[in-house]
Amino acid sequence: MIRASVGGDAVRIKLSNEYTREPLTVSTVHLARHVGAGAVDPSTNGRVTFGGNDSVTVEAGGTVVSDPIAFRLPAGGDLAVSAYVPRRIGSVTQHGSANRDNYAAPGNQSTKDSLSGVRSFYNYSFLAGVDVRNPAAEGAVVALGASITDGYDSTWNENRGWPDLLARRLAGGGRPVGVLNAGISGNSLLNDGVGPSGLNRLDRDGLTPAGVRWVIVADLGLNDLGGADAGTGDRLIAGLRQLIERSHSARVKVVCTTLPPYGGSESFSSVGEAGRQAFNEFVRSGGSGCDAAVDFDAAVRDPTAPARWDARYDQGDHLHPNNAGMEALTTAIGLDQLA
C-alpha cells in the first residue's frame, strides 16, 4: 500500500531482488486505488506488464522496472500494488518498516476486490518504488535519512512522518513535487550496517530516481554518533562534503538539516554530543556547500536543556519525535528552499 505524493496519468513500479541469492518470479501484477483494510476499488484495477509480459523473473541481485500503465492517480491517493508469487522463495528483499499494514493471502488473488485468508505484515517486500508521470511536475525531492525520516513510531497507517507531511504541504501549496522517502531505520551516513551507508547508497536512492532535483540529508549522522564511532563530528562533516560534491556533479541540489537532539536516549554520550554540535555548526555555516540549510535541532530542542528534545515533541525514548515533533520538523523546511 503506497500513498502517492504527486498525482498523474500513468504509473510504473520497480521491483528489487538486490539482497537475495535466488531468482524472484512475480506474475499477474495489478494496480488499483486502495480504499482501506486491503480492499481496492475494482473500477480502477489495471494490469501491469514487464516488456509486454504479465510475468517477470528478477535475477538475484537485480531490479526491474515495469512498463508504464495508464492510471489516473490524485496527489495523496492510496495505491495498492498486488502481485502473485507462484513459487516459494527462501528470502525476500524488503524495506523493514513500512509503518503501515500490507497484506498477504494464499493463492493468486491479485485481481480480487478484497483478499480472503488474509494476514497483515509491516514491511515492503520486493517493491522498491513507484513512479508517477505528471508533465506539470517540478521534479522530485529525496528524503535521505534514518529512522526519523522513515517515520518510526508515528501513528500507524496515517502517513504522519515528516516526508509525508512535506508532501501534503507541497500539494497544498499547489506545487506538484514528488517526495521520495529514502529513510532506513538504523541507517548511518558513514558506516554500513542496517543497509548500505548513506554515502554508499546515495547514487541508487538519492541521485538516480526519476525526476530527482533535490536531496534532503536528514538524521543519518545520529546513528554514527550513537555507535562505536561516537567522536565522528569531523568525519561526518567530511562525509557530508563528499555527498554534496557527488550530488552537485549529478546536478542535484542538497538541502542539509542539522541533527536533532538525542540527550537522554540509550545511545547518548558526551563525546557524541560534541560531534553533533560540531556537525550542526558546520551545516549552519555559510561555507558548508549546502544549497539550503534546515535547522531541525532548533525546531525541536528543549530551550532549557538543548541536548534534549522538547517534551512536547518527544516520543518517549528521547531520540524519536511524536506526531507533533514530525509536524515541527516539516514546518522547519521552507518550501522556498526547494527552488
Side-chain angles (χ1 to χ4, degrees):
M1 306 303 164
I2 299 290
R3 174 156 292 181
S5 55
V6 65
D9 60 10
V11 172
R12 67 184 181 187
I13 67 171
K14 179 181 179 181
L15 304 180
S16 175
N17 199 28
E18 293 175 75
Y19 297 104
T20 50
R21 298 180 180 179
E22 57 185 311
L24 166 71
T25 297
V26 296
S27 61
T28 57
V29 182
H30 284 76
L31 300 174
R33 289 286 303 277
H34 180 226
V35 295
V40 302
D41 177 355
S43 68
T44 65
N45 209 346
R47 169 175 161 255
V48 180
T49 58
F50 300 84
N53 299 313
D54 290 330
S55 179
V56 65
T57 296
V58 191
E59 297 302 325
T63 60
V64 298
V65 177
S66 75
D67 304 322
I69 172 177
F71 193 92
R72 292 216 164 268
L73 185 65
D78 283 337
L79 180 68
V81 180
S82 301
Y84 176 51
V85 181
R87 292 191 294 273
R88 181 178 294 276
I89 54 177
S91 62
V92 64
T93 295
Q94 62 185 355
H95 181 91
S97 177
N99 212 44
R100 68 179 302 164
D101 289 317
N102 290 309
Y103 303 93
N108 186 358
Q109 302 189 45
S110 58
T111 61
K112 300 291 185 181
D113 301 352
S114 59
L115 303 175
S116 59
V118 68
R119 63 178 177 84
S120 62
F121 62 100
Y122 57 84
N123 56 46
Y124 283 120
S125 295
F126 58 78
L127 179 63
V130 175
D131 292 334
V132 180
R133 184 178 66 194
N134 183 333
E138 297 180 37
V141 53
V142 174
L144 188 71
S147 54
I148 295 174
T149 301
D150 206 7
Y152 175 83
D153 230 21
S154 57
T155 301
W156 198 259
N157 284 327
E158 291 190 5
N159 301 285
R160 297 289 294 270
W162 71 259
D164 304 299
L165 301 175
L166 176 61
R168 290 176 208 171
R169 286 182 61 210
L170 286 162
R175 294 189 60 186
V177 175
V179 179
L180 312 182
N181 191 333
I184 299 177
S185 294
N187 198 227
S188 300
L189 176 64
L190 305 174
N191 300 306
D192 293 343
V194 183
S197 69
L199 287 174
N200 286 337
R201 65 187 179 95
L202 175 64
D203 288 352
R204 182 194 68 187
D205 293 348
L207 304 183
T208 58
V212 63
R213 288 183 59 195
W214 309 272
V215 172
I216 300 177
V217 185
D219 53 317
L220 287 167
L222 283 176
N223 288 319
D224 294 284
L225 295 174
D229 296 326
T232 55
D234 289 344
R235 289 185 60 221
L236 282 179
I237 291 169
L240 182 61
R241 286 187 186 277
Q242 183 188 145
L243 186 150
I244 293 168
E245 180 180 350
R246 289 166 56 192
S247 298
H248 286 172
S249 294
R251 301 183 183 277
V252 173
K253 293 182 178 180
V254 180
V255 178
C256 305
T257 77
T258 56
L259 295 174
Y262 73 122
S265 70
E266 292 182 356
S267 58
F268 181 81
S269 71
S270 58
V271 175
E273 175 63 10
R276 187 181 75 92
Q277 293 291 348
F279 179 84
N280 286 353
E281 286 307 310
F282 173 75
V283 169
R284 295 181 182 114
S285 72
S288 68
C290 304
D291 296 285
V294 176
D295 204 339
F296 276 179
D297 175 44
V300 299
R301 69 191 179 204
D302 184 338
T304 65
R308 302 176 71 100
W309 282 82
D310 187 315
R312 295 175 298 169
Y313 304 138
D314 190 346
Q315 174 261 7
D317 64 0
H318 313 304
L319 180 62
H320 299 98
N322 56 22
N323 288 343
M326 290 291 189
E327 293 273 4
L329 292 177
T330 191
T331 300
I333 301 170
L335 298 188
D336 60 349
Q337 294 178 306
L338 302 177

